[in-house]
Amino acid sequence: MATFTFDGKNSYSDFGLIAEEIKIQSPSKRKVKETIPGMSGYLDFSTVISGGEQVYDTRPITAKLFLSKDNREDLYNLYTRVLEWLGAGQSQLIFDFMPGYYFLAEIEDAPTWDEFVDNGDLEVKFTAQPYKYSITNYGDLLWDNIDFSLPDYIQETTFSVNSSKTVTIYIPGNHSIIPSVVVNNDTSCTLNNYTVTFTTSKTTDWLFKLKPGANNITITGNGNIEFQFRKEVL
């Protein structure tokens, strides 16, 4: 029996719900096309702003849940509790058959409810970010969470720096990730000819992107530095 956890609560252990059907759809590519008079086909600008990477729309995830009680009053009490639970904003959505990953999702449209005396079917549609995320940060990655088909990596993400050091961070998947860079002293990092100084109050920079594969980073400063990020895959 499939179960899922949303906003910290489990569909079966907290509510006794039976998931009759779960559909996790793939996200659609976000395309930017332009046609030109006199030219066959179209020009594709989909990856221009993203620096050559494909971008995606949100991902639909549908769950059909079976609610059952001894009488109609208890059924509607359960129905209300479930609606309150599923009405949370964007939260982690974890499926038991997909260990080590979570989706970032919420329900935007009203659920569909079909009642049969003392039981009923509730169909809900989550709108999720296109990628699924590893539950642990990469520096905490365990052998159980390794996916060798990516390829995947076991690597250090925390370093001690005395003046200068060059390190390599590897990213699985097919798109860039913006890490959170935690330091205890002002520290400069150069990546792909871009240099940024991280401080105790500035931990992210939207131009400091770790690309798929190997990323060679030159670190200048004194102290400890940690690159915090999660695996993101379709």
Side-chain angles (χ1 to χ4, degrees), residues 1-2 23 29 35 56 58 65 99 107 120 123 145 163 183 208 225:
M1 178 182 64
K23 293 182 179 179
K29 291 181 178 179
T35 57
Y56 295 88
T58 54
L65 307 171
I107 295 175
E123 185 171 280
N145 294 329
S163 182
V183 298
F208 189 82
I225 184 171

Side-chain angles (χ1 to χ4, degrees), residues 42-83:
Y42 58 86
L43 295 177
D44 190 343
F45 297 98
S46 305
T47 61
V48 173
I49 297 178
S50 62
E53 294 183 14
Q54 179 62 56
V55 295
Y56 295 88
D57 287 321
T58 54
R59 176 199 296 260
I61 299 175
T62 304
K64 188 174 182 181
L65 307 171
F66 180 69
L67 284 67
S68 179
K69 284 293 183 179
D70 293 332
N71 56 69
R72 195 180 189 194
E73 180 180 352
D74 288 344
L75 176 65
Y76 268 87
N77 285 336
L78 174 61
Y79 175 60
T80 299
R81 289 174 53 220
V82 171
L83 290 182

Side-chain angles (χ1 to χ4, degrees), residues 164-226:
S164 181
K165 175 179 286 189
T166 298
V167 303
T168 302
I169 298 291
Y170 296 89
I171 297 297
N174 61 2
H175 74 290
S176 298
I177 293 177
I178 298 173
S180 178
V181 182
V182 179
V183 298
N184 58 358
N185 285 307
D186 291 3
T187 304
S188 295
C189 293
T190 300
L191 172 65
N192 299 322
N193 297 317
Y194 177 72
T195 300
V196 58
T197 298
F198 294 102
T199 68
T200 54
S201 59
K202 178 184 179 181
T203 60
T204 57
D205 185 293
W206 294 105
L207 296 179
F208 189 82
K209 293 183 178 181
L210 300 174
K211 295 184 177 182
N215 295 266
N216 297 316
I217 306 170
T218 300
I219 308 169
T220 304
N222 292 281
N224 298 321
I225 184 171
E226 180 181 4

